[in-house]
Amino acid sequence: MRLASPAVKVLAVAALPLALAACSSGSSSSGSTAAAKPAATKDPNANLLTGSQLKKALAPASYFPSGFAADPSLARDTGNTYQTPSTKSAAKPHCAGLGSTSWISLTGVEGVSFAQNSYINKNTSAELDQEIDVYRGRTAADVVKDLAKVVAACPNYTDSDTHSTVKVTGASTAGLGDGAYTITLTDSAWESGTTLIATRVGTAVVIVLSTDGSDNGAASAKKLTQQIVASLKAQSNKAKQG
């Protein structure tokens, strides 16, 4: 769970050694050697959206129903730089993290940029969290796929507040982005459950958490996902156009 802003690091690119051109052995050779130009180093983060750009793709305050207000303490992003991606073992995830912001980190993979915030209903305590994480290459697809492994490793966990058992179920979801996975959390001690949706959009993954509604937050989670996906696609197109 990413509750504090991760350290943002600038990716260090190793300099390539200069390749020396071979000398001619002909009698007319001057005997000098010419240094070849080094091959251009490919930026692994080229064309990936930054945290500042992702922040613009999150649903604005005007999107949320009356009664919801942003929690400033939970707003985070990586700004205009990228963090170094990392992978850690997800064999034994901290299952209780499914009920928290940045639950996607239970896959054990951290991307290069992200933006997130949370809206809370002061009257009902309902919560709507939104986040976008960006990864290199095909990693985003693997992250969504690996959520099934998280659910398999976490069929249930104990709620630290109610000390009751939370049941965890998950399934692939059609009709959202380039592929999606939905996780549902239910507990007999809760008034309503929680719905989590992770949706891939190219190299990004849109992540939402909803406890809003009597349907375990399912409808509001899907609606928020659709809002962010559309906005993210627009932001990506804008970035490509320069």
Side-chain angles (χ1 to χ4, degrees):
M1 176 177 64
R2 191 192 296 111
L3 289 180
S5 179
V8 179
K9 301 178 181 178
V10 178
L11 182 67
V13 180
L16 294 178
L18 294 177
L20 297 179
C23 299
S24 171
S25 60
S27 59
S28 62
S29 172
S30 62
S32 63
T33 59
K37 293 182 179 180
T41 302
K42 184 178 180 180
D43 182 358
N45 298 321
N47 302 317
L48 298 181
L49 295 180
T50 65
S52 296
Q53 292 171 313
L54 296 174
K55 185 178 179 179
K56 297 176 181 178
L58 295 175
S62 58
Y63 164 86
F64 295 90
S66 176
F68 279 88
D71 183 340
S73 69
L74 297 177
R76 301 281 188 274
D77 66 78
T78 46
N80 291 318
T81 57
Y82 299 96
Q83 62 184 14
T84 302
S86 63
T87 303
K88 60 184 179 180
S89 174
K92 294 183 179 180
H94 178 60
C95 299
L98 285 168
S100 306
T101 59
S102 295
W103 50 271
I104 195 72
S105 64
L106 293 184
T107 60
V109 181
E110 294 287 346
V112 297
S113 60
F114 77 91
Q116 69 178 71
N117 61 37
S118 299
Y119 283 76
I120 311 296
N121 189 311
K122 61 183 179 182
N123 299 316
T124 65
S125 297
E127 182 176 353
L128 287 169
D129 299 335
Q130 56 179 342
E131 179 178 349
I132 309 172
D133 285 48
V134 168
Y135 306 85
R136 294 175 183 170
R138 294 182 51 82
T139 305
D142 293 334
V143 167
V144 174
K145 181 179 67 175
D146 286 348
L147 285 173
K149 297 179 182 178
V150 173
V151 171
C154 298
N156 56 67
Y157 66 88
T158 301
D159 185 304
S160 60
D161 294 326
T162 61
H163 304 292
S164 53
T165 300
V166 180
K167 181 181 178 180
V168 181
T169 58
S172 296
T173 306
L176 293 173
D178 300 319
Y181 194 87
T182 299
I183 298 174
T184 304
L185 312 177
T186 55
D187 187 326
S188 59
W190 297 351
E191 291 185 7
S192 182
T194 303
T195 294
L196 318 173
I197 303 178
T199 305
R200 184 175 72 85
V201 181
T203 59
V205 178
V206 172
I207 305 127
V208 303
L209 178 154
S210 172
T211 62
D212 179 40
S214 58
D215 59 349
N216 299 324
S220 59
K222 182 178 180 180
K223 182 181 178 181
L224 179 55
T225 296
Q226 293 171 325
Q227 163 71 26
I228 304 171
V229 167
S231 182
L232 179 58
K233 288 181 178 180
Q235 184 67 28
S236 298
N237 290 334
K238 182 179 179 180
K240 290 178 181 178
Q241 294 170 3

